[in-house]
Amino acid sequence: MKIVCIGGGPAGLYFALLMKKQDPRHDITVVERNKPYDTFGWGVVFSDQTLGNLQAADPQTAGEILGAFNHWDDIEVNIRGERIRSGGHGFCGIGRKRLLNILQKRCEELGVKLVFEQDVQGEEQYPDADLIIASDGLNSRIRTKYQATYQPDIDVRQCRFVWLGTHKLFEAFTFAFEETEHGWFQAHAYQFDGDTSTFIVETPQDVWEKAGIDRMEKEESIAFCERLFAKYLDGHKLMSNAAHLRGSAQWIRFPRVVCKTWVHHNGRQPVVLMGDAAHTAHFSIGSGTKLALEDAIELARCIGKAGGDLNRALSDYEAVRSVEVLKIQNAARNSTEWFENVARYVNLPAPQFAYSLLTRSQRISHENLRLRDKGYVEGYEDWIARACGIQRAPAQSPVPPMFTPFRLRGTELKNRVVVSPMAQYLCQDGQPADYHLVHLGARAMGGAGMVVAEMTCTSPDARITPGCPGLWNEQQQAGWKRIVDFVHGFSDAKIAMQLGHAGPKGSTRVPWEGEDQPLEAGNWPLLSASPEQYIDGVSDWSRAMTRADMDRVRDDFVRAARLAAGAGFDWLELHCAHGYLLSSFISPLTNQRTDDYGGPLENRLRYPLEVFRAMRAVWPEHLPMSVRISAHDWVEGGITPDDAVEIARAFKAAGCDLIDCSSGQVSKKQKPVYGRMYQTPFADRIRNEAGIATMAVGAITDADQVNSIIAAGRADLCAIARPHLANPAWTLLEAAKLGYGDVKWPVQYLSGKAQLERNLEREKAMAAQAAGLSPLEQANQAQGV
């Protein structure tokens, strides 16, 4: 087969040598526009796992690369004069030029033709090639030429960065954060050979402009960075090797590239994207070169496996790599956004700031960190525990973050796990009875810090369905008090009441008879901010609330709040999410009013805030109140995370203690981006920008995730829904999985605790033995690291 690789970066060179090694009869040419052994850039980074992949693909090349690597285990974070280190991360640095030299030499040894100083305009220069590899980099001409096929999505990110070098040798991968009068700058530094380190300086675009770097000559901006990070450089200079760039041009914004397809057939041969031409991943997770080399490995593998069927090989390559690359790009996006918003986190205590940085991509979890550096994690757990008033005795195990207490006003939760309010639709005339006693009572005994009753309606016409619970009379109050008394009498959990009004989503059937479908009979009139039909052509129309309606509904909420206090609830939550009545005022998708309650966000919040303040006035001062919001409508023109921060600030000013951060369900046109912990970023942003406690919800499924969220300061509480439907004792089970025994069980169930812990330990040992993997390898595999 005749193969031409356009672009002599890591992707093209590595693919060429792998294919030549696979079959020496292949006629392979790599065409590069630069001079032989010439390149720009400083060092690149690989993880130990990537090195393993290279070793498996070509041991000789891997051996030469390994011989040139500088290896380190530690990551060091410097902020506000404090230095935090953690180990076990297993990274290697190598000069980009040295890496290319090794790959070029190996290609020459195997018989690959290397052509330099040839600037290829298009693949038509090689009409007799059987396969064209477009490895022509970030600004790929081939990708641009066939963009109708590849459908590239290029997102230029918010920060400016400059890639510099220094002869200061950093022992660890070092992050340094420095504040100026204009804003924050950060440096990413690591040694990559015997006498040189990479030193990347990064800052948001607006800070870069305020600092005047856009008007500086190159030497001036380098001198600025030297002064700013002088205490880390120990007198060493910063160096640029981008002699071809002038002024501020060396400061660039990172372009994230995603292509829908990677293969184009031009009528003569397939043209295949590889490396940066197909995708990019932000330098903060050090994966660009890794992805390029692994592209090459996978395509070579697919061609070898396909037995001469090139189309099948290319289809397999795209199918496999597109998924793997997406995983890395999702992690890179999380990491990119963290660094773009460093100002959001700099007021965290330094230990928590460092932990947040280490776990920013969501690929490194709490338990994964423990396997890397147990001493660091246990020390950090002790720091969190001390901040919560817990001093661990020498013989005791460290307290996992999820099992630290949390206090708001006069209510203290024993841990950070909350049983989400989950609609059950099993009431008659709004009356809670035996079912709710068992449902909520069992989960309270299952170890959670708090259980939350499902959305409870403030009047008969506030219900979603006829099966929804209510709190508008004393009989219902008595039913709830029975449940509250059980929770308080048989557990140390707290119990919260969530009050809401269905608004335009009311008068529907219970889900198992037709979710969101109107009742066949017995419907009641619907209210909302503006007339709407939740499901076009299906739902009943609601009418816009008058001022008289607002007064009545507000008073219904106040009455329900008083009844909840009388029933003995520890916590009260107001439901302002998911397209229900108060949500219909907040979202511009559903609020089309032209009076004082419509238009800008300030006006749209006016009525929900009025209801909240009226409830807060009658709810006991020593007990907390929270608000559930939809932090993202997932629809163009709807509520955005930017809006959510402002919504949280408004409720905080009105006396709210915590924001319960959900999203969506406002419009059937929504297009959520699902994934594990997919709503946690809303809680993170609101907590750290609006300065109010938050509860994270949505696809949080295990203790490791809860510990990671709490430890990083991304939320104060985690609400767990579906796992609690499957297992009322989810919290107790997760404690046993962690090996944390210092958790209180109901005395009647203690004999089950010891057996559960023994069985779990036996299962762990058997699984590890069968897999033949070290604990760290197992954890990395589970996290996709």
Side-chain angles (χ1 to χ4, degrees):
M1 183 162 55
K2 186 169 185 178
I3 302 170
V4 175
C5 298
I6 300 173
L13 289 169
Y14 200 53
F15 178 70
L17 73 86
L18 291 178
M19 288 303 297
K20 197 68 174 176
K21 180 186 173 189
Q22 187 178 109
D23 189 340
R25 295 173 299 173
H26 290 318
D27 179 355
I28 306 175
T29 302
V30 178
V31 188
E32 168 58 41
R33 65 180 179 178
N34 292 316
K35 296 177 182 179
Y37 303 104
D38 193 11
T39 187
F40 301 102
W42 295 97
V44 295
V45 177
F46 294 147
S47 67
D48 285 351
Q49 184 192 32
T50 302
L51 294 180
N53 294 338
L54 299 182
Q55 182 70 32
D58 181 28
Q60 184 171 333
T61 304
E64 292 186 41
I65 292 172
L66 279 168
F69 263 127
N70 182 73
H71 186 275
W72 69 89
D73 277 326
D74 288 358
I75 291 178
E76 180 179 293
V77 181
N78 297 269
I79 185 168
R80 298 191 189 281
E82 293 194 53
R83 177 182 301 171
I84 297 96
R85 269 206 188 199
S86 68
H89 298 284
F91 283 99
C92 296
I94 185 173
R96 179 175 169 81
K97 184 173 182 177
R98 179 70 178 122
L99 174 64
L100 290 181
N101 291 171
I102 291 170
L103 297 177
Q104 290 162 353
K105 179 173 177 288
R106 181 73 171 131
C107 281
E108 290 172 339
E109 291 171 352
L110 291 168
V112 174
K113 293 190 285 291
L114 302 182
V115 179
F116 294 96
E117 297 184 79
Q118 185 166 329
D119 196 3
V120 177
Q121 300 298 312
E123 86 292 350
E124 62 273 3
Q125 295 176 227
Y126 308 98
D128 58 341
D130 299 302
L131 174 64
I132 299 289
I133 300 298
S135 49
D136 52 342
L138 174 62
N139 299 310
S140 170
R141 287 173 176 163
I142 303 295
R143 186 187 67 221
T144 300
K145 181 179 179 180
Y146 296 120
Q147 61 182 326
T149 298
Y150 299 128
Q151 299 181 55
D153 176 11
I154 302 176
D155 176 23
V156 180
R157 300 304 307 179
Q158 298 173 18
C159 283
R160 289 274 180 174
F161 69 95
V162 61
W163 204 288
L164 302 172
T166 179
H167 290 309
K168 164 63 190 290
L169 301 183
F170 291 90
E171 297 176 0
F173 194 116
T174 300
F175 293 101
F177 299 85
E178 290 295 322
E179 187 177 17
T180 71
E181 60 183 312
H182 313 291
W184 285 84
F185 286 75
Q186 57 250 16
H188 313 232
Y190 54 90
Q191 182 181 351
F192 64 83
D193 65 20
D195 63 2
T196 320
S197 297
T198 294
F199 200 92
I200 302 170
V201 180
E202 181 184 25
T203 192
Q205 172 80 18
D206 65 324
V207 176
W208 182 76
E209 291 175 354
K210 289 174 184 175
I213 300 175
D214 57 328
R215 301 181 297 278
M216 293 181 186
E217 292 300 322
K218 180 167 65 175
E219 293 73 17
E220 286 182 273
S221 70
I222 292 174
F224 174 91
C225 294
E226 284 177 352
R227 291 192 300 272
L228 185 58
F229 293 101
K231 63 186 174 185
Y232 308 102
L233 292 169
D234 295 333
H236 292 278
K237 294 291 186 181
L238 291 175
M239 307 175 292
S240 170
N241 65 2
H244 59 301
L245 297 176
R246 295 289 179 267
S248 62
Q250 65 176 342
W251 289 81
I252 61 176
R253 292 167 65 188
F254 186 85
R256 192 268 351 241
V257 176
V258 177
C259 289
K260 188 171 184 179
T261 61
W262 296 9
V263 180
H264 172 79
H265 292 271
N266 64 12
R268 296 180 304 275
Q269 70 266 105
V271 183
V272 183
L273 298 181
M274 188 177 286
D276 283 353
H279 46 69
T280 59
H282 194 257
F283 58 83
S284 62
I285 64 168
S287 292
T289 305
K290 160 196 166 70
L291 290 176
L293 297 176
E294 291 178 350
D295 283 353
I297 292 170
E298 185 59 32
L299 182 53
R301 187 193 71 80
C302 289
I303 290 174
K305 183 180 177 183
D309 187 344
L310 185 57
N311 287 333
R312 176 187 154 198
L314 297 179
S315 178
D316 290 347
Y317 162 71
E318 184 177 298
V320 172
R321 287 303 294 158
S322 61
V323 172
E324 291 304 310
V325 167
L326 182 61
K327 292 177 183 177
I328 297 293
Q329 287 186 315
N330 285 341
R333 181 197 65 231
N334 294 335
S335 179
T336 305
E337 291 178 353
W338 193 94
F339 282 105
E340 288 175 341
N341 295 284
V342 159
R344 181 186 300 162
Y345 303 107
V346 291
N347 291 322
L348 291 173
Q352 192 165 53
F353 177 87
Y355 183 97
S356 177
L357 185 154
L358 292 172
T359 58
R360 67 193 181 278
S361 73
Q362 296 187 35
R363 297 177 75 229
I364 305 298
S365 71
H366 193 72
E367 292 307 309
N368 191 278
L369 272 181
R370 190 189 306 279
L371 290 169
R372 292 164 187 253
D373 189 340
K374 182 179 180 181
Y376 162 74
V377 170
E378 290 191 354
Y380 182 61
E381 288 176 332
D382 286 343
W383 178 86
I384 293 175
R386 287 194 300 272
C388 296
I390 300 173
Q391 188 68 44
R392 175 167 67 102
Q396 288 181 311
S397 300
V399 181
M402 68 182 284
F403 288 107
T404 57
F406 177 69
R407 188 177 188 85
L408 275 182
R409 298 197 185 225
T411 297
E412 182 172 279
L413 309 187
K414 64 179 178 179
N415 62 48
R416 307 303 184 99
V417 178
V418 174
V419 178
S420 287
M422 294 175 283
Q424 302 297 296
Y425 307 107
L426 283 173
C427 286
Q428 292 185 357
D429 298 322
Q431 183 66 39
D434 290 351
Y435 177 86
H436 289 81
L437 175 68
V438 173
H439 171 68
L440 294 170
R443 282 148 187 85
M445 294 176 68
M450 183 167 72
V451 296
V452 186
E454 65 193 273
M455 188 178 93
T456 299
C457 305
T458 55
S459 62
D461 64 345
R463 291 175 297 169
I464 309 167
T465 76
C468 289
L471 190 50
W472 61 79
N473 61 43
E474 292 180 355
Q475 183 179 354
Q476 292 161 347
Q477 181 192 47
W480 283 116
K481 187 176 187 306
R482 176 173 174 243
I483 294 166
V484 170
D485 288 348
F486 181 91
V487 169
H488 289 160
F490 291 91
S491 79
D492 51 3
K494 304 300 182 183
I495 182 167
M497 166 55 67
Q498 185 190 75
L499 294 175
H501 189 300
K505 298 174 72 173
S507 193
T508 62
R509 306 173 206 175
V510 294
W512 47 89
E513 294 177 0
E515 186 171 7
D516 292 325
Q517 299 299 305
L519 293 171
E520 295 179 348
N523 302 81
W524 52 84
L526 303 179
L527 297 173
S528 57
S530 303
E532 68 168 288
Q533 191 178 34
Y534 180 60
I535 304 177
D536 292 342
V538 175
S539 301
D540 291 341
W541 277 92
S542 59
R543 68 170 176 83
M545 292 182 78
T546 65
R547 184 60 249 189
D549 294 325
M550 293 182 196
D551 291 342
R552 176 181 67 84
V553 169
R554 179 201 59 212
D555 293 346
D556 288 343
F557 273 102
V558 169
R559 177 184 61 210
R562 284 197 175 102
L563 290 169
F569 282 96
D570 305 295
W571 186 299
L572 184 62
E573 178 162 286
L574 176 62
H575 202 316
C576 292
H578 301 167
Y580 296 131
L581 181 66
L582 298 180
S583 170
S584 77
F585 276 85
I586 297 173
S587 174
L589 298 175
T590 50
N591 186 337
Q592 305 299 316
R593 299 177 75 102
T594 58
D595 61 6
D596 290 343
Y597 301 95
L601 179 60
E602 180 182 6
N603 284 5
R604 300 197 310 271
L605 279 168
R606 191 184 302 272
Y607 182 61
L609 287 170
E610 177 185 327
V611 172
F612 177 86
R613 291 190 184 101
M615 294 170 65
R616 180 71 263 184
V618 300
W619 182 248
E621 179 66 23
H622 68 285
L623 298 179
M625 273 188 71
S626 58
V627 176
R628 170 166 280 206
I629 68 168
S630 285
H632 198 326
D633 284 346
W634 303 106
V635 178
E636 186 71 28
I639 289 295
T640 68
D642 287 345
D643 297 323
V645 174
E646 297 308 314
I647 293 167
R649 285 178 174 143
F651 277 107
K652 177 185 177 183
C656 179
D657 301 298
L658 178 143
I659 300 294
D660 181 354
C661 303
S662 189
S663 71
Q665 300 181 53
V666 172
S667 168
K668 284 294 187 181
K669 297 176 183 177
Q670 68 178 13
K671 294 181 179 178
V673 180
Y674 293 113
R676 59 181 179 174
M677 303 180 285
Y678 75 104
Q679 295 182 131
T680 299
F682 308 139
D684 181 351
R685 183 169 179 189
I686 289 170
R687 182 183 191 271
N688 292 300
E689 286 189 26
I692 185 172
T694 59
M695 180 151 53
V697 307
I700 302 169
T701 58
D702 60 40
D704 198 15
Q705 293 172 357
V706 177
N707 282 325
S708 300
I709 290 167
I710 301 303
R714 305 183 77 199
D716 299 276
L717 298 172
C718 289
I720 313 296
R722 290 176 178 85
H724 274 124
L725 291 179
N727 183 359
W730 181 87
T731 307
L732 298 179
L733 175 62
E734 292 299 305
K737 287 180 180 178
L738 289 174
Y740 180 64
D742 295 332
V743 61
K744 185 177 179 181
W745 278 54
V747 292
Q748 299 85 352
Y749 297 170
L750 280 175
S751 60
K753 178 178 185 287
Q755 184 182 65
L756 174 64
E757 291 169 345
R758 286 194 303 270
N759 289 343
L760 287 170
E761 285 301 316
R762 188 180 303 116
E763 289 172 11
K764 283 182 188 177
M766 292 173 64
Q769 184 177 11
L773 300 175
S774 71
L776 179 56
E777 288 171 330
Q778 293 176 62
N780 283 343
Q781 187 179 77
Q783 293 291 328
V785 177

